[in-house]
Amino acid sequence: MSDIKMVNLKINGLDVTVPAGTTILEAAKVAGINIPTLCYMKGINEIGACRVCVVEVKGARSMVASCVYPVSEGMEVVTSSDKVIEARKTTLELLLSDHKKECLSCERNLNCELQKLSLEYGCDTKRFQGATSKEDIPDVSTDYLVRDNTKCVLCRRCVAVCNKIQEVAVIGANERGFKTNVSCAFEEDIGNSPCVACGQCINVCPTGALTEKSEIANVKKALADPEKIVIVAPAPAVRATLGEEFGNPIGTNVEGKMITALKRLGFDKVFDVNLGADLTIMEEATELLERIQKGGKLPMITSCSPGWIRYMEFYYPDLIENVSSGKSPQQMFGAVCKTYWAEKNGIDPKNIYVVTVMPCIAKKFEKKRDNQAASGYPDVDASITTRELARLIKEKGIMFNELPDSELDNPLGEFTGAGVIFGATGGVMEAALRTAVETISGKELGKLDFNEVRGMEGVKEASYEVAGKTIKVAVASGLSNAKIICEKIRNGEADYQFVEIMCCPGGCINGGGQPILDSYTRRNVDYKTLRAKALYNQDASSKIRKSHENKAVQGLYNEYFGKPGSHKAHEILHTTYVARKKY
Amino acid sequence: MAKTSGVPFQGTKEQEVALREKLAELKKVQGGLMPALQEAQAIYGYLPKEVQIIVAEELGVSLEEVYGVVSFYAQFSIVPKGKYKIGVCLGTACYVKGSGDLLAEVEKQLGIKAGGITPDGKWSIEATRCIGCCGLAPVMTINEDVYGRIGPKEVAGILAKYN
Amino acid sequence: MKKSIQDINAIREQMQSQIVMRNGGDSNIVSKYKRQILICGGTGCHSNKSSKILEEFNALIKANGLENDVLTVMTGCFGLCAAGPVVIVYPEGAFYSRITVEDVKEIFDEHIVGGKVVEKFLHEEDNGKEKVIALSDTNFYKKQTRVALRNCGVINPENIDEYIAFDGYQALIKVLTSMEKQEVVDTILASGLRGRGGAGFPTGRKWQFTKDAPGEIKYVACNADEGDPGAFMDRSVLEGDPHALIEAMAIAAYAIGSNQGFVYVRAEYPIAVRRLQIAIDQAKEYGLLGKDILGTGFDFDLEIRLGAGAFVCGEETALMTSIEGHRGEPRPRPPFPAIKGLFGKPTLLNNVETYANVCQIILKGPEWFTSMGTEKSRGTKVFALGGKINNTGLVEIPMGTPLRTVIEDIGGGIPNGKKFKAAQTGGPSGGCIPASLIDTPIDYDSLIAIGSMMGSGGLIVMDEDNCMVDIAKFFLEFTVDESCGKCTACRIGTRRLLELLTKVTDGTATLETLDEMEKLCYYIKDNSLCGLGQTAPNPVLSTLRYFKDEYIAHVVDKKCPAGVCKNLLNFTIDKDKCIGCGMCARQCPANAIVKTDYIAEGHKLPSYTIDQSKCVKCGACVATCKFKAISKG
């Protein structure tokens, strides 16, 4: 029936039939044979460079890289002969000879692809000894990331995401031969480059060459300080992924256990950034309606994603006015803690230490931006990633999977389903639509699901008829997709009123601070959809699913801000942006 | 550690105009980055950051992409060259006839290593690939001048000609 | 102005009187000039100021009002670079070698004006005192067959009319007017021509693949990134006969259905680039490139792209990546360039020398071509002969010629009465041929069988003073330096191999080191992404195979038999020969030479001795000592 030509071949003596164009690697999987990979990333890094996936093909002059070698009729492949095993072993031993082997205390210990393969192939770490190619000076020039090139295996997966997924291309291969290294132009520190801090490079790094800049020590110090009231709040997407760090299946929502763990870690209050998300909707929806009514700059673009903001400031500073002035949920949350909550409880904001748990490394940078200190003290003091939280939990001997569920503290732990779905691409848009549509029409929505803006597509567009008006919206995640929308806006070709942009592909569930999945999983499991599903399920089962119905948020406005977009709200919940120089 | 030449950039407006003109043409050429860098190096003599930024901007590629290409090819240099560029051929024919000793002598005479430039900017030395004068092996070049069939003993005399 | 086929043929007719003196052609044609002076303008001779020689001749001709009687021609490389700068005067064909600007006046007065060959400037064969008059009479030329180099050193490469006079563009006319595309491909297939760039893939099959590949846009490309150190035949063709390349690429483009070509040239070849650009401009002017070539409706344009110093760009996929404006990193094959090449389009890529054979095959037929060479290696091959050999230069020989013929007859043997030790072919990808295999016929398969390869044609001769371990290290250092760094096997593998090899030359290796080296060599060959890595261990493997005893001497005896590897050398002063002059001590850069209190019999001053712990083994003392009292070993 189909036009696709099928090809018959033998792999390890087994007959396999696959469509023409299939690689040996994929064909082997069909036959139930796993071939290890290191540099390969389907679609974006098909370079055959690491040589870990080599196999023997009858008649071929040398070994071939199965990740890029297409099958052909009658081909005979051997994937596990002694020769193949020996070759892979030697490849790994060569990599290890130019790798800083501080594995025991490396952040990626037990979650390192090089380590796993070395174990599988019984590598002799001392077989090859000689010069090392990189300077042992980690790049710690940013607030969000540490790059230790002595652990880099030059698989170039980070380069591929930076170039092809995010299209910012701030890192790449420089020099050649043994001196080849992945770095910025002129081997400058990342801090001097137009890096947007998305952290996607960390997520794809097979080793410990790229890690977030940890703030665990600061958090521990605050917890040990009797003067400090230490507040913690996880972001929407964290509950959908933290479980992975403890062996739970992808897409397990561990909110209850997470709260218990946070309490056991000794935080004084466990609130939720979801509240900040609901607050963001109140402010953004108001700002949007105002812009529409008063002829303000349109389309309005969301400001939740600090990586996106940084990207805009570097690459599209002409769009500054299009971006909502509302702070991100993290920053709104922190600001509320140190103003409203502090006042209400009679605590000097100086003594409040706000820790957020984020799926993101750009948040580490965001909290240090200008105009992010409503109380006179930084809105947020420490921002740790999902991974850092997991490390903290493990270090404290907390048996995460055995924990009972707990409830969040009040009042800043109250949130709606709308806040939860912030963690997935389209979630902010959907949450905003729920509020905006009801506000414009004055009628209660029958159906709360805006399916058009859900899903993992890079660019989504939709239009809605509301009270006789058409609202046209767009949602983009991943910066190569954001670029498409930004170009349209820049060139005056966009007729949207509202645009949601998330820096990371799929949104925060795939943020740069999320649990690291190995390349096999990333390739073969639709992990973004699974993680997003956990959030959408929570939303569906929530009693309250619209931000404006959040009782705590309503209380905030009644007691403190007056109404969304008020002068006070602007002072505390809004911020400014700057054009940044790339060089 | 960042790589720079350590020499302050002294490009002129005329050079920049000339480069931007060339780049405007090359922007339309498929695979124009290499010719662009060759033009830029022809204009400035080397490819400092300031120049690479112009190339990146005009061709619409990231600075890292430009630098990645520059640092890959031996002939692109981010270090300025001396007034007198000495090349000692280390091609096979020259090598088997002792060009390694020749290079060592030049390095000794000038007190710099291959790839370097004397502090006064007068001399720079490069160990070159085969320049195809194998019949004259071993070969040393100073700018356009070629000196063939020479040994370490002749080096001092040859350098003296440029004083 | 654009020319028609008739115009081209008319130029050809008209030019015969200009070239008849040189091609020894039709005796009925009266030469337009009384004398012609050919001066080599190849890179080697050019470096030796051959252009000054030309200027000097031109000035004298002008001063004597002989412009209509004497023609000067600056040609491409004659081949015998060792004899450069070379001047040839016709009609005698007098072959003057190592001419300086100061010699010009005498040649002009005696020969050009006086009509007498100047004997003292004639080339002298190295094996005798006999002077030879004509270049073609030299031993160097007698055993050569010139196909790819046929016009090099014969025509003025900057004059398209001279090329046309030597049947230039006749093959293109033939193809465009009388041959179907498939016929052209069939002709190349039938000729058995194989790629001259290294691996020796059948050229016709490449043409067929590219012709058959689906796609509207296709490209032809020429690999002129001649990177093998010691090989310069491609440069010579570009410098001496650039139109031959242009014509062949146009033919290839017609055959595969392409309208755009690229020539990727090393930037280290400024003269070649300039001459090729002149030739392209001339061809465009004549309508031999561009739209509607010769009124046949065929369009073809050609562009030069320059390399920037990366040996790996000689690898076909790296070359294309480089033309596309990226780091010259190879990409995995398949897809092959014939299917997905430059800018993702089907691309035919051949090297310069391969193309240089095409026009002749078209004109003279595949049978003519197959009559030369061996069954599996047809035609001729150009070699750049260098190293420890008298006649360094370019030679073109029929495939299958024994190495001995090249070394002893054409090359004139080893200088200074030294013994031939080995020849290295294939550059950093090739291997060494030991003296015991000097009768090996030079063709693709024979070379592979003995662990070397044809490569692009560098042929470096080594004598007893060359250490084979050092030579292997030299080539490996080259590949380590030129590795693109993309794949693990080459990036780290070659580096580790070099480190092991350095242990051998340093005297810190054991026999196990040799085993590990060999294992690593085979691993790198098998697992590298591209040809550079896959062939990088060849110099090590072939020297291990043929000169194992030298390795053993380094490893077990801690000696370098050829006296090259410095760490294994010991310089010693024979106290009885030393007269105590102290010259060596003054020369020593490390102050390692000190006076002793021993005075040898018959000498007045105490002798000197070398403090081995301070010695840096530079050899300065040996060079200084007039009394041969210092020895190394």
Side-chain angles (χ1 to χ4, degrees):
Chain A
M1 291 300 277
S2 104
D3 291 342
I4 299 166
K5 203 181 132 216
M6 298 303 279
V7 170
N8 304 294
L9 69 155
K10 268 192 177 13
I11 305 181
N12 298 349
L14 300 168
D15 289 310
V16 190
T17 304
V18 289
T22 306
T23 61
I24 293 175
L25 179 76
E26 288 164 337
K29 185 167 174 278
V30 171
I33 297 162
N34 183 41
I35 299 172
T37 63
L38 192 57
C39 68
Y40 177 64
M41 286 176 79
K42 193 172 167 60
I44 64 162
N45 204 39
E46 300 179 345
I47 59 174
C50 73
R51 316 312 284 173
V52 162
C53 71
V54 292
V55 297
E56 280 187 272
V57 171
K58 198 175 169 187
R61 206 165 41 145
S62 60
M63 303 270 211
V64 305
S66 61
C67 66
V68 287
Y69 206 93
V71 296
S72 57
E73 187 62 37
M75 179 184 262
E76 289 180 40
V77 179
V78 180
T79 71
S80 55
S81 61
D82 288 351
K83 191 178 170 189
V84 169
I85 303 293
E86 193 53 38
R88 290 181 192 156
K89 182 168 174 268
T90 304
T91 296
L92 292 164
E93 285 167 342
L94 286 170
L95 287 172
L96 289 167
S97 74
D98 191 26
H99 179 81
K100 191 188 337 175
K101 294 177 282 291
E102 53 170 30
C103 307
L104 296 181
S105 57
C106 176
E107 188 177 317
R108 293 291 298 274
N109 189 20
L110 303 178
N111 186 19
C112 167
E113 292 181 40
L114 180 63
Q115 185 187 48
K116 182 168 169 275
L117 287 166
S118 300
L119 178 66
E120 276 174 23
Y121 285 85
C123 290
D124 173 356
T125 56
K126 295 202 174 107
R127 177 172 167 201
F128 298 109
Q129 293 184 333
T132 50
S133 62
K134 326 269 184 336
E135 281 182 305
D136 193 1
I137 307 171
D139 179 352
V140 293
S141 59
T142 66
D143 292 322
Y144 49 86
L145 175 143
V146 176
R147 178 170 188 93
D148 184 350
N149 263 352
T150 60
K151 294 180 186 170
C152 174
V153 292
L154 285 164
C155 67
R156 306 199 192 182
R157 280 156 45 168
C158 55
V159 176
V161 288
C162 194
N163 285 311
K164 294 181 183 166
I165 301 293
Q166 300 298 59
E167 287 188 13
V168 291
V170 296
I171 48 170
N174 292 327
E175 298 286 337
R176 72 172 183 220
F178 193 61
K179 283 187 285 188
T180 308
N181 65 90
V182 172
S183 53
C184 300
F186 292 86
E187 299 186 25
E188 276 278 8
D189 287 342
I190 293 182
N192 291 331
S193 79
C195 166
V196 301
C198 71
Q200 287 298 310
C201 54
I202 298 177
N203 286 11
V204 298
C205 183
T207 72
L210 287 161
T211 51
E212 69 273 88
K213 189 177 252 183
S214 177
E215 296 180 45
I216 288 181
N218 296 349
V219 173
K220 285 204 268 190
K221 205 171 136 202
L223 286 170
D225 185 343
E227 297 283 301
K228 297 278 187 212
I229 307 284
V230 188
I231 294 170
V232 69
V238 174
R239 66 213 71 213
T241 57
L242 180 64
E244 293 168 27
E245 292 278 356
F246 301 96
N248 293 286
I250 295 169
T252 308
N253 189 327
V254 294
E255 185 180 285
K257 290 187 191 327
M258 172 179 74
I259 297 164
T260 309
L262 290 170
K263 290 190 166 169
R264 292 198 184 179
L265 283 170
F267 290 102
D268 298 305
K269 290 288 171 193
V270 182
F271 294 145
D272 205 311
V273 175
N274 282 358
L275 175 119
D278 281 332
L279 206 50
T280 300
I281 290 302
M282 299 306 291
E283 291 298 318
E284 269 187 9
T286 307
E287 187 182 354
L288 175 65
L289 294 178
E290 224 177 78
R291 287 190 190 212
I292 293 174
Q293 284 155 10
K294 295 188 180 163
K297 192 94 172 167
L298 290 174
M300 189 179 87
I301 314 175
T302 57
S303 59
C304 312
S305 167
W308 144 245
I309 294 299
R310 222 170 129 79
Y311 176 74
M312 179 273 296
E313 290 176 327
F314 273 125
Y315 301 90
Y316 291 92
D318 47 318
L319 302 188
I320 280 183
E321 285 182 28
N322 288 82
V323 179
S324 163
S325 62
K327 285 181 182 173
S328 72
Q330 162 176 281
Q331 296 302 124
M332 284 200 188
F333 170 80
V336 165
C337 284
K338 293 197 182 180
T339 56
Y340 164 77
W341 189 79
E343 278 177 37
K344 196 170 166 171
N345 292 283
I347 302 169
D348 185 344
K350 176 177 86 175
N351 291 327
I352 299 179
Y353 194 90
V354 176
V355 179
T356 57
V357 185
M358 307 305 288
C360 181
I361 63 160
K363 291 285 171 193
K364 292 174 182 284
F365 158 80
E366 183 188 47
K367 71 179 195 304
K368 290 194 174 176
R369 291 181 60 106
D370 288 345
N371 291 320
Q372 302 281 5
S375 63
Y377 299 94
D379 294 340
V380 174
D381 297 283
S383 177
I384 60 171
T385 61
T386 312
R387 299 187 292 263
E388 286 173 270
L389 174 59
R391 280 203 291 282
L392 203 51
I393 292 170
K394 286 172 188 168
E395 185 189 309
K396 293 288 175 188
I398 296 167
M399 296 171 74
F400 187 83
N401 291 334
E402 314 301 320
L403 294 177
D405 289 353
S406 299
E407 298 281 326
L408 290 157
D409 293 320
N410 276 324
L412 302 183
E414 208 173 312
F415 60 85
T416 71
V420 174
I421 58 173
F422 260 58
T425 169
V428 178
M429 178 59 69
E430 183 167 347
L433 285 169
R434 288 178 191 172
T435 294
V437 172
E438 286 201 356
T439 311
I440 297 170
S441 67
K443 282 186 278 187
E444 198 172 330
L445 274 170
K447 184 175 145 288
L448 289 179
D449 296 350
F450 290 79
N451 287 318
E452 302 77 10
V453 296
R454 293 188 182 185
M456 289 302 140
E457 254 171 277
V459 176
K460 293 167 280 191
E461 290 177 323
S463 47
Y464 299 99
E465 299 292 326
V466 186
K469 277 191 188 151
T470 306
I471 295 186
K472 195 165 175 202
V473 302
V475 173
S477 72
L479 294 176
S480 53
N481 298 313
K483 195 178 195 174
I484 297 169
I485 301 283
C486 289
E487 283 296 318
K488 273 192 180 179
I489 299 173
R490 174 178 277 178
N491 299 328
E493 295 156 5
D495 55 352
Y496 318 116
Q497 279 83 41
F498 191 35
V499 173
E500 177 204 299
I501 295 181
M502 290 294 157
C503 176
C504 295
C508 307
I509 42 110
N510 187 34
Q514 292 285 41
I516 287 165
L517 302 171
D518 63 27
S519 59
Y520 183 89
T521 309
R522 291 179 71 89
R523 187 161 77 235
N524 292 300
V525 177
D526 188 4
Y527 66 95
K528 286 180 260 185
T529 302
L530 291 173
R531 286 172 174 179
K533 210 172 155 203
L535 298 179
Y536 284 110
N537 285 344
Q538 187 174 356
D539 168 44
S541 61
S542 295
K543 284 196 195 89
I544 304 175
R545 297 182 63 196
K546 290 172 271 186
S547 298
H548 55 282
E549 291 177 359
N550 182 328
K551 291 280 183 296
V553 168
Q554 288 172 352
L556 262 171
Y557 283 106
N558 291 337
E559 294 173 33
Y560 199 68
F561 292 120
K563 61 180 176 39
S566 69
H567 182 70
K568 193 163 188 177
H570 263 274
E571 278 187 339
I572 294 173
L573 304 177
H574 289 250
T575 187
T576 53
Y577 311 108
V578 290
R580 289 176 198 273
K581 284 205 161 58
K582 275 191 267 184
Y583 316 108
Chain B
M1 289 291 278
K3 297 219 165 154
T4 53
S5 69
V7 180
F9 179 59
Q10 291 176 326
T12 63
K13 195 77 212 154
E14 290 72 39
Q15 285 174 317
E16 189 179 331
V17 170
L19 177 60
R20 287 196 194 267
E21 243 168 57
K22 289 277 180 198
L23 294 175
E25 284 166 38
L26 286 165
K27 197 175 181 166
K28 297 169 220 150
V29 173
Q30 261 191 319
L33 182 53
M34 288 277 284
L37 292 169
Q38 275 148 350
E39 292 288 357
Q41 186 154 297
I43 292 170
Y44 288 91
Y46 71 121
L47 295 169
K49 191 171 184 178
E50 292 81 357
V51 174
Q52 291 189 36
I53 287 173
I54 298 174
V55 173
E57 274 175 1
E58 293 285 330
L59 299 189
V61 296
S62 87
L63 182 61
E64 160 46 32
E65 197 177 334
V66 175
Y67 180 75
V69 170
V70 169
S71 63
F72 185 88
Y73 295 96
Q75 290 202 331
F76 293 134
S77 175
I78 60 168
V79 181
K81 294 279 163 255
K83 182 177 167 206
Y84 299 113
K85 294 183 276 286
I86 303 179
V88 178
C89 177
L90 291 189
T92 321
C94 286
Y95 182 78
V96 298
K97 287 195 168 173
S99 64
D101 296 337
L102 199 58
L103 176 63
E105 180 63 24
V106 177
E107 290 176 338
K108 196 176 126 196
Q109 290 276 339
L110 297 176
I112 50 169
K113 288 278 163 196
I117 176 167
T118 53
D120 60 0
K122 184 170 175 186
W123 303 95
S124 57
I125 315 176
E126 264 168 284
T128 68
R129 293 284 177 236
C130 180
I131 56 169
C133 306
C134 307
L136 302 178
V139 171
M140 172 171 112
T141 57
I142 299 181
N143 291 349
E144 305 297 309
D145 304 333
V146 179
Y147 298 91
R149 303 187 187 109
I150 54 166
K153 281 182 192 159
E154 279 102 319
V155 168
I158 292 170
L159 297 185
K161 287 192 202 174
Y162 296 84
N163 276 323
Chain C
M1 215 184 69
K2 280 189 82 165
K3 307 285 183 205
S4 65
I5 293 174
Q6 288 75 17
D7 295 337
I8 297 290
N9 288 334
I11 292 170
R12 181 170 167 241
E13 282 308 305
Q14 198 191 315
M15 284 294 291
Q16 292 307 310
S17 65
Q18 177 165 325
I19 63 152
V20 64
M21 215 174 245
R22 279 176 265 159
N23 71 355
D26 198 332
S27 53
N28 296 323
I29 297 169
V30 181
S31 175
K32 196 170 156 192
Y33 297 95
K34 291 204 179 92
R35 293 201 186 279
Q36 296 197 0
I37 307 168
L38 271 62
I39 298 141
C40 177
T43 293
C45 288
H46 183 84
S47 308
N48 261 337
K49 308 199 167 46
S50 64
S51 53
K52 289 262 163 51
I53 294 171
L54 173 74
E55 279 169 29
E56 187 71 14
F57 271 119
N58 283 341
L60 289 167
I61 289 165
K62 199 170 170 212
N64 289 276
L66 293 174
E67 289 99 329
N68 293 326
D69 295 328
V70 182
L71 176 71
T72 54
V73 183
M74 177 151 260
T75 69
C77 181
F78 287 97
L80 189 48
C81 303
V86 170
V87 172
I88 296 182
V89 179
Y90 285 101
E92 297 86 350
F95 176 37
Y96 297 120
S97 66
R98 297 209 179 182
I99 297 305
T100 63
V101 180
E102 292 73 39
D103 300 335
V104 170
K105 182 83 170 75
E106 198 172 340
I107 296 175
F108 183 81
D109 290 343
E110 300 257 325
H111 191 170
I112 308 300
V113 179
K116 252 175 59 203
V117 172
V118 192
E119 189 123 342
K120 71 174 182 187
F121 294 135
L122 283 175
H123 182 64
E124 195 175 293
E125 290 274 20
D126 288 288
N127 50 359
K129 285 287 156 203
E130 211 175 312
K131 298 266 188 182
V132 254
I133 291 197
L135 180 63
S136 53
D137 291 338
T138 57
N139 290 325
F140 180 74
Y141 272 78
K142 272 190 248 167
K143 296 204 171 162
Q144 294 196 43
T145 306
R146 300 199 134 206
V147 178
L149 299 179
R150 102 200 114 99
N151 285 335
C152 290
V154 178
I155 66 165
N156 177 352
E158 298 186 10
N159 183 345
I160 188 172
D161 291 350
E162 287 218 346
Y163 178 69
I164 290 170
F166 282 90
D167 297 336
Y169 290 104
Q170 292 299 318
L172 181 63
I173 291 171
K174 180 177 174 184
V175 162
L176 293 183
T177 56
S178 69
M179 290 173 85
E180 294 293 328
K181 294 174 176 212
Q182 187 56 47
E183 254 184 288
V184 180
V185 176
D186 287 341
T187 306
I188 301 300
L189 275 168
S191 74
L193 177 64
R194 290 168 70 172
R196 300 300 196 229
F201 190 82
T203 306
R205 279 174 61 195
K206 250 191 197 178
W207 289 35
Q208 188 75 62
F209 289 148
T210 323
K211 177 179 180 291
D212 294 345
E216 282 287 300
I217 297 172
K218 296 181 186 182
Y219 296 111
V220 288
C222 172
N223 184 347
D225 189 56
E226 188 171 51
D228 281 9
F232 55 97
M233 58 287 304
D234 291 346
R235 193 202 67 208
S236 288
V237 172
L238 295 175
E239 284 178 1
D241 197 14
H243 285 285
L245 174 66
I246 297 171
E247 185 181 1
M249 288 184 74
I251 290 168
Y254 169 78
I256 66 151
S258 160
N259 305 111
Q260 176 66 50
F262 293 93
V263 185
Y264 186 87
V265 193
R266 291 181 84 192
E268 288 94 331
Y269 286 175
I271 300 175
V273 172
R274 190 167 52 81
R275 296 218 177 119
L276 180 60
Q277 190 58 58
I278 290 170
I280 289 174
D281 293 344
Q282 289 173 347
K284 279 187 183 162
E285 196 190 318
Y286 276 22
L288 293 160
L289 283 176
K291 296 261 176 237
D292 190 19
I293 291 170
L294 297 169
T296 59
F298 170 60
D299 304 337
F300 180 62
D301 232 319
L302 193 56
E303 216 180 282
I304 300 177
R305 289 293 173 95
L306 294 185
F311 173 68
V312 70
C313 289
E315 197 277 344
E316 60 177 11
T317 60
L319 182 145
M320 294 187 299
T321 317
S322 182
I323 292 181
E324 289 166 4
H326 305 297
R327 295 163 58 83
E329 291 175 353
R331 38 190 193 226
R333 297 175 305 182
F336 287 94
I339 306 295
K340 203 175 166 200
L342 257 181
F343 304 110
K345 309 288 184 219
T347 303
L348 173 68
L349 179 65
N350 290 123
N351 96 325
V352 178
E353 192 188 336
T354 314
Y355 279 124
N357 283 290
V358 166
C359 300
Q360 294 294 295
I361 292 171
I362 297 288
L363 282 180
K364 297 185 177 170
E367 304 76 17
W368 163 80
F369 195 74
T370 54
S371 72
M372 294 176 289
T374 65
E375 196 192 333
K376 284 188 175 163
S377 304
R378 302 293 191 187
T380 60
K381 177 77 191 88
V382 184
F383 283 95
L385 199 51
K388 304 285 183 65
I389 185 108
N390 279 313
N391 294 334
T392 53
L394 272 195
V395 304
E396 184 168 358
I397 48 166
M399 294 273 191
T401 304
L403 178 61
R404 184 187 295 278
T405 308
V406 177
I407 305 282
E408 293 178 357
D409 301 340
I410 299 173
I414 316 298
N416 307 323
K418 298 273 183 177
K419 257 176 39 202
F420 170 68
K421 184 175 190 178
Q424 212 277 354
T425 63
S429 307
C432 289
I433 306 167
S436 60
L437 294 173
I438 195 170
D439 290 309
T440 306
I442 301 176
D443 60 63
Y444 292 104
D445 308 293
S446 304
L447 289 179
I448 293 282
I450 60 169
S452 185
M453 69 184 287
M454 187 79 87
S456 64
L459 205 164
I460 305 292
V461 180
M462 275 151 300
D463 68 11
E464 53 201 284
D465 290 342
N466 290 115
C467 166
M468 300 314 286
V469 184
D470 180 63
I471 291 294
K473 198 174 138 193
F474 168 78
F475 281 114
L476 195 59
E477 273 171 354
F478 180 88
T479 25
V480 166
D481 229 34
E482 295 292 346
S483 163
C484 83
K486 185 174 179 178
C487 80
T488 311
C490 181
R491 182 182 71 245
I492 311 179
T494 58
R495 172 76 192 211
R496 295 290 173 251
L497 184 59
L498 178 62
E499 284 163 353
L500 292 171
L501 194 53
T502 305
K503 281 184 162 185
V504 177
T505 57
D506 280 354
T508 55
T510 62
L511 289 173
E512 284 74 43
T513 313
L514 299 185
D515 293 341
E516 179 71 325
M517 271 169 52
E518 199 163 342
K519 260 201 246 168
L520 190 53
C521 281
Y522 286 112
Y523 160 81
I524 295 168
K525 276 174 84 74
D526 254 352
N527 287 279
S528 291
L529 170 61
C530 82
L532 184 144
Q534 285 163 9
T535 57
N538 286 351
V540 178
L541 281 172
S542 84
T543 46
L544 267 175
R545 178 168 167 187
Y546 296 115
F547 299 95
K548 188 85 178 236
D549 50 337
E550 264 187 63
Y551 278 89
I552 305 262
H554 284 74
V555 172
V556 179
D557 311 331
K558 309 293 177 198
K559 292 260 181 247
C560 173
V564 173
C565 298
K566 287 192 172 161
N567 279 359
L568 300 177
L569 289 184
N570 265 331
F571 290 86
T572 44
I573 298 175
D574 184 333
K575 61 181 181 182
D576 291 312
K577 281 188 189 166
C578 176
I579 66 151
C581 70
M583 276 300 284
C584 55
R586 284 194 286 282
Q587 283 294 317
C588 179
N591 294 324
I593 306 181
V594 289
K595 205 184 284 186
T596 65
D597 47 19
Y598 175 83
I599 302 175
E601 237 183 271
H603 293 159
K604 294 186 183 105
L605 298 166
S607 72
Y608 281 76
T609 187
I610 298 172
D611 179 346
Q612 298 298 337
S613 66
K614 284 188 183 166
C615 176
V616 293
K617 326 211 171 184
C618 66
C621 52
V622 182
T624 318
C625 182
K626 289 180 193 144
F627 308 95
K628 296 200 160 55
I630 308 178
S631 59
K632 65 174 182 179

